[in-house]
Amino acid sequence: MPLTAKTTAPEPRSLLAWQILAPVTALFFVFLLLGGLAARRYFEPLAKQRDLLRVERYANTAAVVFAERLSVKTSRELSEAFWTAGLDTLEFLPPGQTPEWKSPRFLAAGPWVEAWGPVIASDGSKLGAVRLRRQADALVFVRDSVRRFALAACAAFLLLALLVW
């Protein structure tokens, strides 16, 4: 066989590409799976708990403010004051309309949390309740962060694949 004859062996470049790309691909998917599981197992419950505590604290604070100022202002003026403070879903409930559900809670549709607090006068009588609904900020942040991480990881993988190819 003359030295100038071509052989049919695979090109070293393509073999090297597969030797690099296959382990990187496997490692990428393992890390992506571990990151998703960690987010689901640890970050999401912490974010949900933070949202529930926050909405409960806001509802209780609003109930105390309502109790202190209910004789000074009407409930509509107080509601407008809370709307300007960013608590736009605050609602004053008159006596006898106190919600029966456990406070706080997640609403079924979408990332919203809801809480209520009793409005109690200084003499101990119940004046009603306030109900507050807010977006679950921490939960939305965690879910968006996980999505952005996954997209960035996919983009980095594609860039690596193009460089190796």
Side-chain angles (χ1 to χ4, degrees), residues 9-78:
E11 291 182 24
R13 183 174 177 201
S14 66
L15 185 60
L16 181 63
W18 281 111
Q19 286 174 343
I20 292 173
L21 195 57
V24 167
T25 304
L27 195 61
F28 165 74
F29 285 113
V30 166
F31 281 138
L32 197 59
L33 180 66
L34 288 176
L37 289 175
R40 199 85 170 132
R41 177 83 172 127
Y42 299 107
F43 300 136
E44 236 180 74
L46 291 175
K48 286 181 179 181
Q49 187 64 30
R50 187 178 305 144
D51 284 325
L52 291 174
L53 289 173
R54 183 179 294 152
V55 74
E56 186 177 34
R57 185 176 64 234
Y58 288 162
N60 289 335
T61 303
V64 169
V65 171
F66 263 93
E68 289 177 356
R69 301 192 183 198
L70 199 55
S71 60
V72 178
K73 295 183 179 181
T74 65
S75 62
R76 183 69 183 159
E77 289 173 332
L78 281 172

Side-chain angles (χ1 to χ4, degrees), residues 2 9 12 14 34 49-50 57 73 75 83-84 90-91 102 105 120 128 132-133 137 141 146-147 163:
S14 66
L34 288 176
Q49 187 64 30
R50 187 178 305 144
R57 185 176 64 234
K73 295 183 179 181
S75 62
W83 292 340
T84 58
L90 183 73
E91 181 182 358
K102 184 181 175 191
R105 69 175 181 174
I120 300 173
L132 175 65
R133 187 184 67 166
D137 298 328
F141 175 74
V146 169
R147 285 186 193 120
L163 287 175

Side-chain angles (χ1 to χ4, degrees), residues 105-147:
R105 69 175 181 174
F106 268 89
L107 297 179
W112 291 88
V113 286
E114 185 177 35
W116 65 270
V119 179
I120 300 173
S122 58
D123 61 355
S125 62
K126 288 190 176 183
L127 301 174
V130 291
R131 182 172 57 193
L132 175 65
R133 187 184 67 166
R134 287 182 53 98
Q135 187 172 8
D137 298 328
L139 181 63
V140 170
F141 175 74
V142 165
R143 287 184 178 169
D144 286 348
S145 298
V146 169
R147 285 186 193 120

